[in-house]
Amino acid sequence: MGLIGEVLLLPFAPVRGSGWVIRQVLNEAERLYYDPATVRAELAQLEERLEAGEIDEEEFDRIEDELLDRLEIGLRGGAGTGDGTAQ
């Protein structure tokens, strides 16, 4: 882009900067969401909740399936592709 284009787009610099920041925050959130260590810790907490009687078997199975799906994606390395998708 030439000098004239840069000058014309200068008023939009804060918007472009904000977009970059939002992308970085989303990428980090996605990385943490699919992090195998985080998912394993959530699985351990889920089992504790079941043993304490806070949740029933049906809810445990549903949440466990979701966590195992996240773990699989995290172990495959599909998280954090930078395009806003997990795979």
Side-chain angles (χ1 to χ4, degrees):
M1 190 176 300
L3 180 61
I4 294 174
E6 289 293 327
V7 170
L8 292 174
L9 292 176
L10 189 59
F12 297 105
V15 174
R16 292 191 327 234
S18 297
W20 180 84
V21 169
I22 290 169
R23 282 190 304 276
Q24 297 306 310
V25 169
L26 288 174
N27 286 340
E28 181 64 12
E30 188 175 72
R31 187 190 66 77
L32 289 174
Y33 183 76
Y34 290 106
D35 179 47
T38 302
V39 177
R40 288 184 184 112
E42 289 183 38
L43 282 167
Q45 289 174 346
L46 181 65
E47 189 170 344
E48 290 174 4
R49 289 179 63 201
L50 177 67
E51 291 173 0
E54 295 175 16
I55 59 173
D56 60 12
E57 270 302 318
E58 184 178 318
E59 185 175 1
F60 174 84
D61 290 338
R62 182 185 58 77
I63 297 171
E64 182 186 41
D65 288 342
E66 292 172 7
L67 290 171
L68 291 175
D69 288 343
R70 280 175 44 196
L71 182 61
E72 181 181 342
I73 291 169
L75 291 174
R76 275 195 320 229
T81 58
D83 62 1
T85 61
Q87 298 183 11

